[in-house]
């Protein structure tokens, strides 16, 4: 087998998104459960390398090799090509070709257009390794425009309150800001300190997020009617008391689970996901024309079962180390 069930490409002794330090790693994207520090050499897109260096430091791997999307890299008799996964900036699917056999490892992905990430490209293959974070029929994400509309309506309806939007620092924060801008919100957006470096990096890498300002140091009364982006852990703690009567919001695919939103004490849950929903997972399995499907990273059994009903070979991978919240709730 070209690829084993630990996502190890034996012919070139490289692991994809290894959870422990490896001599050679191919990293699909910058989320903590995929990109870890301490590898020997890392092969990834230039944006992912920039994100890793920003989060973990310049020396988080011994060496880096940047590979642009769509450029084949031959290593011995294996060819590696990265294609956009549409999940966060720089996120890639990995195509592995060897003697006519094509294997695609999706990493995390979504198919809906998102201007803070390069758009997903479908890659046909023989073996598809797909994530399944939202791999249950109950997950059918609403359009994010609709969710942002609910947020903006609440801002209009509650002019004396500030809105704190809990969003993870890589990907979700920038996506929410981009969606707000696209919906016409051109006021300054205020950032918790944990958001600032990655938002600046996105802007440096060409993603326009408009006027962003630090939330610390602002005057409480002047924050009425304003929108603040902060990590989910901050929106309910002492930090939030600096804002007038905050409306606690959270942007996540998990917000479609009402019980989860309630437990998190979220007043305004926003179902904004950076992963495929159930329909998009099925569509992708179908569109890639793959005959064999390996399912990882989430609710594996339902998708495996569905693939088998379609006459495909399918199995769950049960890889340790991928967390359904991405270790940082990147859903
Ligand atoms: Zn991710
Ligand atoms: Zn993930």
């Amino acid at each position: 087998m070209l690829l084993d069930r630990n996502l190890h490409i034996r012919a070139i002794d490289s692991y994809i998104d290894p959870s422990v330090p490896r001599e050679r790693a191919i990293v699909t994207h910058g989320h903590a459960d995929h990109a870890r520090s301490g590898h020997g050499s890392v092969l990834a897109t230039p944006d992912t390398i920039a994100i890793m260096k920003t989060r973990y430091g310049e020396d988080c791997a011994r060496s880096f090799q940047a590979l642009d999307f769509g450029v084949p890299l031959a290593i011995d008799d294996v060819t590696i090509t990265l294609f956009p996964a549409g999940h966060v900036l720089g996120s890639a699917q990995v195509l592995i070709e060897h003697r006519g056999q094509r294997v695609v490892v999706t990493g995390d992905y979504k198919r809906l257009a998102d201007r803070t990430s390069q758009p997903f490209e479908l890659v046909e293959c023989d073996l598809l390794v797909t994530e399944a974070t939202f791999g249950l029929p109950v997950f059918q994400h609403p359009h994010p425009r609709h969710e942002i509309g609910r947020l903006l309506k609440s801002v209009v309806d509650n002019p004396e309150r500030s809105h704190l939007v809990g969003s993870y620092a890589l990907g979700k924060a920038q996506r929410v800001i981009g969606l707000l801008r696209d919906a016409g919100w051109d006021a300054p957006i205020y950032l918790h300190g944990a958001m600032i470096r990655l938002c600046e990096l996105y802007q440096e890498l060409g993603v326009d997020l408009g006027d962003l300002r630090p939330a610390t140091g602002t005057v409480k009364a002047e924050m009425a009617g304003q929108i603040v982006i902060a990590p989910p852990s901050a929106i309910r703690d002492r930090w939030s008391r600096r804002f007038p009567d905050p409306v606690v919001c959270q942007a996540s695919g998990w917000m479609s689970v009402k019980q989860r939103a309630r437990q998190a004490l979220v007043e305004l849950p926003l179902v904004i996901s950076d992963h495929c929903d159930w329909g998009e997972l099925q569509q992708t399995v179908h569109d890639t024309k793959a005959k064999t499907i390996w399912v990882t990273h989430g609710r594996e059994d339902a998708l495996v079962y569905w693939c088998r009903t379609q006459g495909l070979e399918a199995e769950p991978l049960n890889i340790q180390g991928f967390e359904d919240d991405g270790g940082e709730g990147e859903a």
Side-chain angles (χ1 to χ4, degrees):
M1 222 8 159
L2 178 52
L3 182 74
D4 75 17
R5 284 161 180 72
N6 291 311
L7 306 187
H8 178 221
I9 310 165
R10 258 175 239 163
I12 56 171
D13 192 21
S14 298
Y15 287 83
I16 298 175
D17 292 347
S19 61
V20 296
R22 295 288 184 185
E23 193 46 39
R24 276 182 291 279
I26 300 172
V27 174
T28 59
H29 66 286
H31 279 142
D33 59 328
H34 297 259
R36 310 212 180 223
S37 61
H39 299 309
S41 68
V42 165
L43 178 71
T45 62
D47 290 347
T48 294
I49 291 172
I51 288 166
M52 287 180 75
K53 288 181 175 177
T54 299
R55 306 192 90 185
Y56 308 138
E58 288 288 324
D59 56 357
C60 63
R62 206 176 54 240
S63 68
F64 290 93
Q65 183 175 3
L67 183 59
D68 284 318
F69 287 122
V71 178
L73 174 71
I75 311 170
D76 303 329
D77 56 353
V78 173
T79 302
I80 303 290
T81 316
L82 304 178
F83 290 91
H87 172 62
V88 299
L89 191 63
S91 62
Q93 311 171 74
V94 182
L95 168 67
I96 310 152
E97 292 171 285
H98 178 72
R99 294 182 191 152
Q101 194 191 358
R102 291 165 65 87
V103 176
V104 167
V105 178
T106 63
D108 293 343
Y109 69 110
K110 73 169 177 296
R111 301 192 57 173
L112 201 66
D114 164 8
R115 71 168 173 84
T116 62
S117 169
Q118 297 86 353
F120 175 89
E121 273 180 43
L122 186 95
V123 187
E124 292 186 4
C125 54
D126 306 298
L127 166 62
L128 174 71
V129 182
T130 179
E131 63 129 326
T133 302
F134 292 105
L136 285 176
V138 293
F139 292 114
Q140 296 184 30
H141 305 317
H143 198 285
R145 239 186 346 252
H146 174 260
E147 300 298 286
I148 287 294
R150 291 171 53 234
L151 170 59
L152 290 175
K153 179 172 189 309
S154 177
V155 172
V156 169
D157 291 348
N158 299 280
E160 70 297 344
R161 304 177 70 184
S162 35
H163 282 68
L164 302 191
V165 185
S167 311
Y168 290 93
L170 171 59
K172 189 57 52 72
Q174 297 78 23
R175 178 139 184 251
V176 168
I177 294 166
L179 287 164
L180 282 165
R181 297 308 187 203
D182 293 347
W185 182 260
D186 47 21
I189 293 175
Y190 293 86
L191 301 179
H192 182 280
M195 304 285 153
I196 293 174
R197 276 181 323 151
L198 282 166
C199 287
E200 283 174 353
L201 180 65
Y202 265 58
Q203 304 237 60
E204 281 164 30
L205 295 174
V207 180
D208 182 15
L209 300 176
D211 184 359
L212 304 179
R213 300 187 187 176
T216 28
T218 52
V219 177
K220 187 168 183 171
E222 290 175 2
M223 294 304 285
Q226 303 297 340
I227 299 175
V228 182
I229 313 286
S233 57
I235 56 177
R236 287 169 298 271
D237 74 10
R238 286 175 55 84
W239 184 83
S240 68
R241 291 185 211 154
R242 69 187 68 212
F243 304 105
D245 191 17
V247 178
V248 171
C249 317
Q250 188 161 329
S252 165
W254 295 113
M255 289 297 106
S256 64
V257 183
K258 294 212 167 54
Q259 191 190 356
R260 219 153 154 151
R262 258 199 312 274
Q263 275 168 359
L265 303 175
V266 174
E267 182 175 341
L268 182 62
L270 303 169
V271 185
I272 298 177
S273 170
D274 290 319
H275 295 264
C276 290
D277 67 7
W278 176 247
E280 288 175 285
L281 289 170
Q282 292 176 308
Q283 186 73 47
T284 305
V285 166
H286 177 263
D287 290 349
T288 59
K289 303 192 171 89
K291 293 280 173 278
T292 307
I293 315 294
W294 291 355
V295 183
T296 182
H297 202 345
R299 281 139 201 74
E300 305 176 353
D301 293 343
L303 191 61
V304 164
Y305 177 81
W306 177 82
C307 289
R308 289 176 181 160
T309 68
Q310 304 300 300
L312 304 171
E313 278 187 39
E315 54 183 286
L317 286 187
N318 301 314
I319 297 173
Q320 299 302 307
F322 291 137
E323 297 155 47
D324 65 22
D325 280 316
E328 50 185 344
E330 30 100 2

